Amino acid sequence: MVKLNPEPISDEDAAKLKAEFAAEDQAMAEAALADYLPMLQREDQAMKPNFEQMTDAELKACAIAHRDEIEP
């Protein structure tokens, strides 16, 4: 079990810790976001229908299903 230090730390030490955690949080966020846009693009591409491989019946069904998105 970890015991917490009951003694307060100085404002200077608190500011140093805050800056250190902020820098770590920033680095972690940047690392996580570095691949975010490419991941979204891959997911978007995977979700797009391949019209060239669809049969005529599939194309008609797709057009009917998305008619509201196409027509103003």
Side-chain angles (χ1 to χ4, degrees):
M1 180 174 192
V2 177
K3 291 186 178 182
L4 299 176
N5 185 358
E7 296 180 28
I9 61 173
S10 69
D11 289 343
E12 183 180 329
D13 288 341
K16 287 178 187 177
L17 284 172
K18 185 176 179 179
E20 180 182 338
F21 283 119
E24 288 176 3
D25 288 347
Q26 180 74 26
M28 189 173 179
E30 288 174 359
L33 292 175
D35 191 45
Y36 189 67
L37 181 59
M39 180 196 67
L40 288 178
Q41 290 169 333
R42 287 189 303 272
E43 287 179 359
D44 187 46
Q45 188 64 32
M47 291 174 44
K48 289 182 181 176
N50 187 343
F51 297 115
E52 294 172 358
Q53 293 181 348
M54 289 180 155
T55 65
D56 286 348
E58 290 172 328
L59 284 169
K60 287 177 188 176
C62 183
I64 291 169
H66 296 283
R67 178 179 10 202
D68 293 340
E69 299 170 17
I70 298 169
E71 294 178 356

